[in-house]
Amino acid sequence: GAGVSQSPSNKVTEKGKDVELRCDPISGHTALYWYRQSLGQGLEFLIYFQGNSAPDKSGLPSDRFSAERTGGSVSTLTIQRTQQEDSAVYLCASSKQRGNNEQFFGPGTRLTVL
Amino acid sequence: AQTVTQSQPEMSVQEAETVTLSCTYDTSENNYYLFWYKQPPSRQMILVIRQEAYKQQNATENRFSVNFQKAAKSFSLKISDSQLGDTAMYFCAFREGNTGTASKLTFGTGTRLQVTL
């Protein structure tokens, strides 16, 4: 079946602009995660959705970052007033449930802020 | 807070040889899971192997095996009979188990593995 998909694959924007990154999880996966991978760094947790529960936003670096998940499926990560330090690869993952099930990752969106 | 440390930024191994990637972690939890992920240039994160902390037996997946030392909080990955396709970034990751909201993964900074002819 189809894996996790993300769009766009690459995004170049100017400092101060808003951007939206999209994630389509695997069908039937109730948990969805966003991570950020800066150059030379590991993945940094941003936010996590599980079913109808309130999302865990503890990893969002500032109030310029927000995310929503509509209908328990597609998720959008929004970064307002982008800064150069926001440049990174943004990875989305989904899993069946919050147990010990594997997180399946999408190919990521590479964001470059000029 | 949990931390994951990978002290080897880069490693190189010849084809068909064996290489070991190191990982240490710090946690006060007793129930957790450990993972090794592979990230080739395509950026696609691929799960290589996982270990449940309550299991004493080291996990193995074909040419990949781990040496899990719970008391030392060490979780190394051994790749046997290395192949050119193993060239990638390898990330060690930690996840708490049996908690309310914390199923997020905490990653190390990665080890870049180059397999040479």
Side-chain angles (χ1 to χ4, degrees):
Chain A
V4 177
S5 61
Q6 292 186 245
S7 60
S9 178
N10 291 283
K11 175 71 176 180
V12 180
T13 190
E14 293 180 346
K15 178 181 173 181
K17 301 279 190 180
D18 298 351
V19 295
E20 288 188 348
L21 312 180
R22 177 187 168 105
C23 173
D24 282 89
I26 293 172
S27 177
H29 281 193
T30 58
L32 186 147
Y33 315 78
W34 283 98
Y35 296 89
R36 177 170 71 175
Q37 184 176 21
S38 301
L39 185 64
Q41 300 295 316
L43 279 70
E44 170 192 17
F45 167 75
L46 296 177
I47 188 170
Y48 149 63
F49 297 89
Q50 167 59 28
N52 295 321
S53 301
D56 176 356
K57 303 179 182 180
S58 60
L60 294 178
S62 78
D63 60 6
R64 296 186 296 105
F65 287 73
S66 63
E68 63 177 17
R69 188 178 184 191
T70 54
S73 181
V74 172
S75 177
T76 302
L77 176 69
T78 300
I79 309 173
Q80 296 178 310
R81 304 180 302 282
T82 53
Q83 303 295 313
Q84 287 185 333
E85 60 262 30
D86 299 335
S87 296
V89 174
Y90 290 82
L91 289 157
C92 174
S94 70
S95 68
K96 280 186 179 179
Q97 62 184 22
R98 222 179 21 180
N100 60 359
N101 282 328
E102 177 184 350
Q103 291 186 23
F104 292 82
F105 283 82
T109 294
R110 180 179 297 279
L111 175 66
T112 303
V113 182
L114 301 177
Chain B
Q2 292 79 24
T3 59
V4 178
T5 302
Q6 293 179 250
S7 59
Q8 305 155 313
E10 295 184 359
M11 295 279 286
S12 181
V13 63
Q14 286 191 321
E15 196 177 23
E17 296 296 309
T18 295
V19 64
T20 299
L21 308 183
S22 301
C23 173
T24 59
Y25 59 95
D26 188 23
T27 182
S28 58
E29 301 294 326
N30 193 47
N31 296 318
Y32 52 88
Y33 302 87
L34 294 162
F35 307 84
W36 279 97
Y37 279 87
K38 170 184 177 181
Q39 187 181 42
S42 67
R43 293 201 310 243
Q44 186 74 52
M45 294 285 284
I46 303 164
L47 179 64
V48 174
I49 199 165
R50 64 185 289 161
Q51 175 81 41
E52 290 87 345
Y54 65 87
K55 291 186 178 179
Q56 293 185 338
Q57 185 174 8
N58 289 323
T60 62
E61 287 288 342
N62 300 314
R63 298 182 294 106
F64 299 87
S65 62
V66 298
N67 183 5
F68 174 47
Q69 302 289 328
K70 190 173 184 179
K73 296 180 180 175
S74 171
F75 183 61
S76 60
L77 173 70
K78 185 172 81 171
I79 306 174
S80 304
D81 186 25
S82 297
Q83 301 176 358
L84 294 177
D86 296 333
T87 293
M89 282 289 289
Y90 286 82
F91 291 98
C92 179
F94 170 100
R95 183 175 84 73
E96 290 181 356
N98 299 326
T99 58
T101 60
S103 63
K104 65 186 180 185
L105 293 169
T106 300
F107 287 85
T109 52
T111 296
R112 184 176 302 279
L113 177 66
Q114 180 72 49
V115 180
T116 60
L117 292 171

